[in-house]
Amino acid sequence: MFRPLLPVQLTVDVLLAVVFGLIALGSELGSGVAEAPVASALTCVLMASAVAVRRLSPGLALGVAWAGAVVQMSFGRPPILADVAVFAVLYATAAYGSRLVYWLGFASSIGGAIVITAYLFAIPQFAGGRLTLASLPLAFAVLVAAGFALLLSWTIGALVRSSARARANRAAQVQAEADAAAEHERARIARDMHDVVAHSLAVVIAQADGARYAAGTDPTAAAAALGTISTTARAARSIADGLLNVGSRNGTSI
């Protein structure tokens, strides 16, 4: 339900919500037309709260925004500045919400346009408080305008979401290719080391057998065989160390 946010992100969202709420409340109370100050204050608080948690919990923000709209309509209040929060919330549902919240935001964009249109034609301040045949063109225009504005906010969020997913997919692909290349390099180094060690062991075994047989009859041959064993072992170790150093420089470990 809650997304992980950095402390600075959460702080910025809360401060922005406080500033937005104060401006919206001041605009409403200072306009001289706030006949229901309690309703105006409650609506502004709810809408500002929705702004505060829009990135932390888009689903919760959507529910709080709807609660603010219900409070506003219950008191018969006309549209106010605080309603701008709805656009930020719809954007957040599309950009940050889960799959369910994503589609709830889409449904809210369409449903919200219908509710706004119906509500405007139900209050006396707009079109005389009723819908008539003569006002149908105006109602249709309001529905289209409201739907366009709400869906535009949601669509922008959806585009941001798609862009973020595309970047994540590209990053995952690059990481997968890097992992595949590292695995290929590890396999190559392992094969080379196996070849070197196998060859060196074959030489060491042959020389050791020769030294054992020559130990009692030809000390010089035995000493030469032991020298060959020592040289071969050191060469194998040197080659192995070189392969490991190459792997380390390439970011590959065995």
Side-chain angles (χ1 to χ4, degrees), residues 14 43 57 78 89 96 105 121 125 127-128 145 151 169 192 210-211 215 238 243 250:
V14 172
T43 300
S57 179
V89 171
Y96 313 118
F121 281 85
Q125 295 94 324
L151 282 173
N169 290 337
D192 291 346
S238 177
L243 290 173
N250 293 336

Side-chain angles (χ1 to χ4, degrees), residues 35-176:
E35 301 172 358
V38 174
S40 298
L42 184 55
T43 300
C44 291
V45 168
L46 288 172
M47 291 301 186
S49 299
V51 172
V53 299
R54 72 191 189 283
R55 288 197 295 178
L56 179 65
S57 179
L60 177 61
L62 184 63
V64 173
W66 270 111
V70 170
V71 169
Q72 181 179 351
M73 291 185 293
S74 298
F75 285 88
R77 304 299 301 135
I80 60 176
L81 179 61
D83 296 332
V84 174
V86 173
F87 299 107
V89 171
L90 289 176
Y91 168 88
T93 60
Y96 313 118
S98 64
R99 185 175 181 84
L100 175 61
V101 174
Y102 177 86
W103 289 112
L104 284 176
F106 177 75
S108 295
S109 300
I110 298 176
I114 297 173
V115 170
I116 290 172
T117 303
Y119 175 71
L120 286 177
F121 281 85
I123 60 176
Q125 295 94 324
F126 192 87
R130 64 183 185 277
L131 180 63
T132 63
L133 187 63
S135 61
L136 276 179
L138 178 60
F140 180 75
V142 171
L143 177 63
V144 171
F148 176 80
L150 296 176
L151 282 173
L152 179 62
S153 300
W154 182 88
T155 301
I156 293 174
L159 291 175
V160 170
R161 183 193 191 99
S162 298
S163 178
R165 285 190 172 181
R167 289 195 300 270
N169 290 337
R170 285 196 297 271
Q173 182 179 0
V174 169
Q175 184 61 44

